[in-house]
């Protein structure tokens, strides 16, 4: 941080780290450097986003479905693995925790604990003004946490 503070002539510079790996891009900067982290979660796109259908997207933001991406999509939405965000609703399991939809998977834990907010791909925020304020996973006034543009569809039934 000394280098960043010196380079920017700031005494308390802030860093935002954007990455697509929860394990290597989101966890370390959050845990060890206390940086703001943005998780790029392609699973949001593949599992669906509430109120945001493919037909609603600008063409520049549409996911390019090459043959390799089709196979990847089939793996991500596999019935064998289930959702990246939440296991199916179970009897006697609390899915609302501290005002937020409880993501009860390992990856859900990493998202809500170490990501500041999450997006399906970088293009979703590239046209937003620099001063745009995102809801974050630590924001107390929302039950969708830091998902942008909206909560993933697998979490919809718990809202």
């Amino acid at each position: 941080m000394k280098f960043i503070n010196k380079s920017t002539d700031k005494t308390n510079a802030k860093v935002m780290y954007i990455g697509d790996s929860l394990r290597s891009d989101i966890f370390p900067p959050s845990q060890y450097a206390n940086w703001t982290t943005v998780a790029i979660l392609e699973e949001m796109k593949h599992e669906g986003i509430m109120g945001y259908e493919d037909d609603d997207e600008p063409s520049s933001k549409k996911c390019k479905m090459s043959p390799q991406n089709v196979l990847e999509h089939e793996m991500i939405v596999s019935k064998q693995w289930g959702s990246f965000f939440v296991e199916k609703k179970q009897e006697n399991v609390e899915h609302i925790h501290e005002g937020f939809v409880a993501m009860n998977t390992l990856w859900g834990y990493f998202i809500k604990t170490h990501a500041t907010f999450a997006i399906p791909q970088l293009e979703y925020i590239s046209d937003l003004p620099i001063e745009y304020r995102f809801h974050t996973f630590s924001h107390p006034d929302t039950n969708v946490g830091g998902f942008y543009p909206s909560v993933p569809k697998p979490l919809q039934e718990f809202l």
Side-chain angles (χ1 to χ4, degrees), residues 12-44:
N12 197 11
K14 296 187 182 215
V15 175
M16 177 186 287
Y17 194 92
I18 301 171
D20 64 355
S21 170
L22 292 171
R23 188 189 56 184
S24 60
D25 291 332
I26 303 305
F27 173 72
S30 166
Q31 180 72 25
Y32 300 113
N34 200 30
W35 290 354
T36 298
T37 55
V38 179
I40 298 175
L41 302 174
E42 62 186 303
E43 291 81 3
M44 287 176 67

Side-chain angles (χ1 to χ4, degrees), residues 42-48 54 63-79 81-82:
E42 62 186 303
E43 291 81 3
M44 287 176 67
K45 178 72 177 150
H46 289 283
E47 292 190 38
D54 280 343
C63 185
K64 308 289 188 268
M65 293 298 275
S66 66
Q68 182 180 7
N69 284 343
V70 171
L71 178 59
E72 183 178 351
H73 175 78
E74 289 173 1
M75 288 176 58
I76 289 173
V77 296
S78 166
K79 288 185 181 17
W81 299 111

Side-chain angles (χ1 to χ4, degrees), residues 40 94 120-121 127 129 139:
I40 298 175
E94 185 64 40
Q121 58 193 65
D127 293 334
H139 193 277

Side-chain angles (χ1 to χ4, degrees), residues 47-153:
E47 292 190 38
I49 304 167
M50 282 180 42
Y52 207 81
E53 304 302 324
D54 280 343
D55 295 339
D56 297 338
E57 285 184 81
S59 60
S60 65
K61 296 182 180 171
K62 284 193 184 279
C63 185
K64 308 289 188 268
M65 293 298 275
S66 66
Q68 182 180 7
N69 284 343
V70 171
L71 178 59
E72 183 178 351
H73 175 78
E74 289 173 1
M75 288 176 58
I76 289 173
V77 296
S78 166
K79 288 185 181 17
Q80 179 179 359
W81 299 111
S83 173
F84 185 76
F85 302 100
V86 66
E87 283 190 44
K88 293 206 185 270
K89 192 171 186 177
Q90 301 165 356
E91 295 290 323
N92 303 320
V93 174
E94 185 64 40
H95 287 277
I96 304 295
H97 178 69
E98 296 177 3
F100 292 99
V101 174
M103 291 182 281
N104 62 355
T105 64
L106 173 66
W107 299 118
Y109 170 80
F110 274 103
I111 293 165
K112 67 185 174 188
T113 306
H114 296 288
T116 305
F117 65 95
I119 56 176
Q121 58 193 65
L122 198 53
E123 288 79 9
Y124 277 73
I125 64 171
S126 62
D127 293 334
L128 295 175
I130 192 83
E131 64 275 357
Y132 186 87
R133 298 241 179 228
F134 292 91
H135 286 285
T136 65
F137 289 109
S138 62
H139 193 277
D141 296 333
T142 179
N143 64 349
V144 297
F147 291 110
Y148 181 87
S150 185
V151 67
K153 284 184 179 178

